[in-house]
Amino acid sequence: MTHTSTVPARQPARTSRLRSHGRWARLRRTWLGPALVAPSFILLAVFVYGFIGFTVFISLTQRWNPFNRDTTLRGDALGNYADLFSTPRFQADLRNTIVFTLLFLVASVAIGLVLAILVHHVVIGRAFFRSVFLFPYALSFIVTGVVWRWIFTPQTGANLLLKATGVSGAYASMTGKPLQPDWITDHRVAGELNGVLEPIIPGGTFLHTQVGIPLALIPVVIAAAWQLGGFAMAMYLAGLAAIPDEVREAALMDGAGPLQTYRKVILPMLRPVTLTTVVILGHVSLKIFDLVYAMAGSGVGFSTDVPGIFVYEQMFRALHYNAGAAASVVMLLLVCAVVVPYLARTYAREDS
Amino acid sequence: MRRTPLWLAALTAVTALTATACGGGSAAGGQKTDKVEVFSWWTSGSEAAALNALIDNFKKANPGVTVRNAAVSGGGGSNAQQVLQTRLVGGNPPDTWQTHPGKAMGEVVDNGLALDLTDVYTVNKWNSAMPKPLIDAMSRNGKVYGVLTGVHRGNVLWFNKKVLAGAGIRVGDHLSRQEFDRALDKLRAKGKTPLCLGDKDIFASAEVLENVLVGRLGAAGWERLVEGRTHWSDPDVRAAVKEYTGLLDRVNSDHSALTWDQAVKRMADGGCGFNTMGDWAYGELLKDGKRDGKDFGYVPFPGSENVFVTVGDVFVASASSDNPDLVKKWIASVGSKESQLAFNKAKGSTPVRTDVDVSSLGSYQQAAAQDFRHKTLVSTLVHGEATSPGFQQAFFDAVNQLNSNKDIDAFVKALDGAARK
């Protein structure tokens, strides 16, 4: 159907209908929409917002758990949160989440962009490469975790490769020590900032963990970027396809080389794609659980622990539902901190 | 005409959703059934075989009864815990479920969720057939709320005979702490990893520390510590923690990437001399085709010769079961001599009844049964029997921190704080 044929034909029909069942139609016009969305609104209200509210409530109670449904609130209203932020483990979790998210976003966006540009310009086998790079995305995090755990265990995988290729030996002849990193079992924290942070922030010695980059997290970042780099590539491929050829031609006419075209024209045009990718991957990374659980667990000294694992253990092992709920609320706030500015931006643009 | 289906669809959707939302709670009726739902986390080879032995014995004695095996696998029981807790909140508990004695089952009993089983004990005269400390660990105010299927011993030191012989180490029927230290040093001098550890799940580290503590403090000292009568800042406790950090310097560097069974396997394959783990490791060793006494040997963990650290598995019954009489029959069947023997034969643990003839069990199990009857029994912290689940988690977290920073002061302070909560 085309516009020209339907619009004039339908107009009279609608008016005649309106006239014949005026009241019914008006009722339908005002209430049909709300009636249709009402079920989903009710479900959302109960099963999403209701339970978020319940979790917030539990996070304020003394000791609610399934065996003992005691709903007494804590005397010090935010006591569970205060306890939470003072435990070394949760401090390590927050550090890990922030470090992991930053490294992971940079890595997967970079991988995605480079792959997308390569695939976009490859003429032969474009579909093949696109599928190959997108395949990891189809795997579950548990599978990825198990495989990469094997690769990054010191006695297997990567270290055997270093030995077999002679890299380890060559390194030994230079430094006297073979190159056999500890990978996911390394519990050192690089670039420690405690000495810098503690004097600045009032309140002094509240840090019970080292603030820096836990080295054991890097293999986890590699595994995560391997899995989601393909997703970023797909986003960028769509973005690249949406850039009209005229733009490239115009840049060429103005005398820009390929590098300059990318730097000055294409990359700025891809900025909305980057933003979307960062928001989607950002919330994946903030609530990550399964990959870390399968690959590294909590790690020595909680070097790879994340809030998700903390919540799971506090709730189902320790029966500290209130501490678990408080940690969940903190996770929710972290995700909000990433998503809300993006949504606000999007709505602001739609309004203007 | 075109819009009617939309209305219909919306109406159907709303009806369907309302129906599902309301239907959830009313499924469990009040009528008597001849079904027993048995909930556990026993799904691995030997565990499933042991559970089936229990179920078969029960069915033989009660023909016509159906048993629904609701075992949930994975996570060392934490997945099952999650399912169980959800079902308890939803008011839909299984008829009977697996837990550990002592504090682990405390919340269930204290909140009236468990069925009083005292009469089962009286009728079957179990009070004289089972050790009193273990019955006490399942009792509140003189009433018993659970039955043990069997106990594992937590404080066992396993060793690879060939590796030890290669380093000129001979082990008798026990090992003193000094001898253990010397053996570890000899292994290191030979370029061998002295002790295998696999603590991807932190309980394995915690178990090493528990054994060191039991060995150092003795049964009475250990009881005082877990009951809170001794502080964690006590000099003896600190000395034990220091001893533990000393052991950590002699374990494989990739310990946090291995699971406990991978560590047992590495010891069995000659990757190191010793491994300390509860006697569920025995089943792992046999499964790998290793021979008791030829390839591997075992002694109580050094210093803890006179102590048997019990890791017991218990069935409790639901107080809101549709058919309490039938559930009590299940409990009676679990505690019967036949079930105790069949279950523990498959699971590699020790029968709790001291009147069971164990001569048909393997040689390790016979030795363990003898020790169980003659040594002092203490309960484990690592498996949640001696302390609350909350303290157990605090202990795990503190051990994890200790593994990375070796900071004994911080460890002691964290646990003193947790003990006071």
Side-chain angles (χ1 to χ4, degrees), chain A residues 10 14 17 24 28 31-32 35-36 39-40 43 47 63-69 83 88-89 92 149 152-155 182 184-187 208-209 292-303 310 312-321, chain B residues 1-3 6-7 10 13-14 17 21 75 78-79 81-86 88-91 97 107-108 111 113 199-203 252-259 262 266 389-393 396-398 400-401 403-406 413 421:
Chain A
R10 268 181 96 180
R14 196 182 266 171
R17 251 167 141 193
W24 176 226
R28 187 156 64 186
W31 291 109
L32 176 60
L36 281 179
S40 12
L43 289 176
F47 291 104
R63 59 183 293 272
W64 185 97
N65 71 46
F67 302 109
N68 171 38
R69 280 165 250 170
D83 286 355
R89 180 170 184 180
R149 171 175 150 213
F152 284 125
T153 296
Q155 319 282 341
D182 286 337
I184 50 172
T185 64
D186 200 329
H187 63 268
H208 299 296
T209 193
V292 186
Y293 196 74
M295 187 172 167
S298 297
V300 182
F302 302 115
S303 49
F310 178 80
Y312 181 71
E313 289 188 352
Q314 284 298 316
M315 287 194 165
F316 301 118
R317 259 210 209 154
L319 292 176
H320 281 161
Y321 272 69
Chain B
M1 263 318 274
R2 258 178 64 203
R3 288 197 185 135
L6 259 179
W7 272 109
V14 172
L17 287 165
S78 17
N79 293 353
Q81 283 298 324
Q82 183 189 348
V83 176
L84 179 67
Q85 287 168 32
T86 314
L88 287 172
V89 179
W97 65 87
E107 294 272 357
V108 177
N111 292 289
L113 298 167
D199 63 351
K200 182 173 179 286
D201 188 352
I202 196 67
F203 96 90
N252 44 308
S253 60
D254 62 344
H255 59 91
S256 68
L258 297 186
T259 54
Q262 287 172 324
R266 188 178 288 178
F391 187 85
Q392 179 194 10
Q393 187 64 41
F396 286 170
D397 285 357
N400 193 329
Q401 286 289 345
N403 286 359
S404 84
N405 60 18
K406 313 269 160 69
K413 215 178 118 201
K421 263 186 193 167

Side-chain angles (χ1 to χ4, degrees), chain B residues 87-137:
Chain B
R87 291 186 57 172
L88 287 172
V89 179
N92 177 31
D95 292 314
T96 174
W97 65 87
Q98 176 201 2
T99 176
H100 291 298
K103 290 280 165 52
M105 57 186 276
E107 294 272 357
V108 177
V109 174
D110 289 346
N111 292 289
L113 298 167
L115 190 65
D116 176 8
L117 304 171
T118 316
D119 51 340
V120 184
Y121 273 72
T122 335
V123 170
N124 294 293
K125 301 193 176 65
W126 286 350
N127 289 308
S128 55
M130 298 176 187
K132 191 171 179 303
L134 284 175
I135 299 181
D136 288 346

Side-chain angles (χ1 to χ4, degrees), chain A:
Chain A
M1 274 193 258
T2 61
H3 283 279
T4 41
S5 68
T6 47
V7 172
R10 268 181 96 180
Q11 214 64 42
R14 196 182 266 171
T15 34
S16 75
R17 251 167 141 193
L18 250 179
R19 214 175 297 125
S20 50
H21 331 268
R23 241 172 108 214
W24 176 226
R26 218 172 312 134
L27 208 68
R28 187 156 64 186
R29 246 201 329 210
T30 17
W31 291 109
L32 176 60
L36 281 179
V37 291
S40 12
F41 262 105
I42 293 166
L43 289 176
L44 260 179
V46 175
F47 291 104
V48 177
Y49 298 103
F51 283 119
I52 289 176
F54 187 62
T55 307
V56 172
F57 173 69
I58 294 301
S59 77
L60 301 174
T61 60
Q62 197 95 38
R63 59 183 293 272
W64 185 97
N65 71 46
F67 302 109
N68 171 38
R69 280 165 250 170
D70 174 5
T71 51
T72 324
L73 293 179
R74 263 185 84 137
D76 45 343
L78 294 175
N80 286 325
Y81 291 89
D83 286 355
L84 197 62
F85 284 108
S86 65
T87 50
R89 180 170 184 180
F90 194 69
Q91 291 186 353
D93 290 350
L94 286 178
R95 170 200 71 195
N96 294 348
T97 306
I98 293 167
V99 171
F100 178 80
T101 303
L102 290 177
L103 293 180
F104 163 72
L105 286 180
V106 170
S108 34
V109 164
I111 291 173
L113 186 60
V114 169
L115 288 182
I117 292 173
L118 288 178
V119 169
H120 188 74
H121 290 285
V122 159
V123 186
I124 311 158
R126 185 185 290 179
F128 171 76
F129 285 115
R130 203 169 39 201
S131 323
V132 164
F133 294 135
L134 202 54
F135 270 148
Y137 184 56
L139 290 177
S140 92
F141 266 136
I142 291 288
V143 176
T144 313
V146 169
V147 173
W148 284 91
R149 171 175 150 213
W150 179 81
I151 292 176
F152 284 125
T153 296
Q155 319 282 341
T156 55
N159 279 4
L160 290 183
L161 192 73
L162 287 177
K163 228 184 249 174
T165 52
V167 174
S168 185
Y171 185 83
S173 64
M174 282 193 295
T175 58
K177 228 173 64 187
L179 181 65
Q180 296 282 287
D182 286 337
W183 301 116
I184 50 172
T185 64
D186 200 329
H187 63 268
R188 288 173 302 162
V189 174
E192 205 189 307
L193 289 174
N194 291 34
V196 185
L197 282 178
E198 296 220 335
I200 304 173
I201 299 166
T205 54
F206 65 97
L207 285 177
H208 299 296
T209 193
Q210 290 172 304
V211 180
I213 300 175
L215 294 178
L217 260 189
I218 291 169
V220 185
V221 170
I222 294 174
W226 174 83
Q227 169 129 20
L228 288 169
F231 171 76
M233 176 199 73
M235 299 284 285
Y236 277 119
L237 274 178
L240 284 171
I243 294 173
D245 284 342
E246 290 84 38
V247 174
R248 287 171 190 276
E249 279 161 18
L252 200 69
M253 293 289 279
D254 288 345
L259 266 182
Q260 229 178 345
T261 312
Y262 264 102
R263 211 161 53 87
K264 295 261 171 70
V265 181
I266 311 244
L267 289 188
M269 290 185 80
L270 286 176
R271 208 171 282 153
V273 179
T274 309
L275 187 68
T276 314
T277 313
V278 163
V279 168
I280 293 174
L281 294 184
H283 91 270
V284 168
S285 134
L286 287 172
K287 57 185 198 193
I288 196 152
F289 169 82
D290 28 14
L291 177 74
V292 186
Y293 196 74
M295 187 172 167
S298 297
V300 182
F302 302 115
S303 49
T304 55
D305 201 46
V306 287
I309 298 180
F310 178 80
V311 169
Y312 181 71
E313 289 188 352
Q314 284 298 316
M315 287 194 165
F316 301 118
R317 259 210 209 154
L319 292 176
H320 281 161
Y321 272 69
N322 34 47
S328 311
V329 172
V330 174
M331 279 175 79
L332 178 72
L333 293 178
L334 280 175
V335 173
C336 286
V338 172
V339 178
V340 168
Y342 171 75
L343 291 180
R345 218 184 107 122
T346 318
Y347 286 131
R349 197 182 299 145
E350 272 172 14
D351 285 347
S352 64

Side-chain angles (χ1 to χ4, degrees), chain B residues 46 158 260 264 278-289 296 346-348:
Chain B
S46 62
W158 309 90
W260 71 267
V264 171
D279 62 11
W280 45 92
Y282 187 67
E284 257 341 278
L285 288 161
L286 295 187
K287 198 185 80 194
D288 288 342
F296 67 90
K347 183 121 195 296

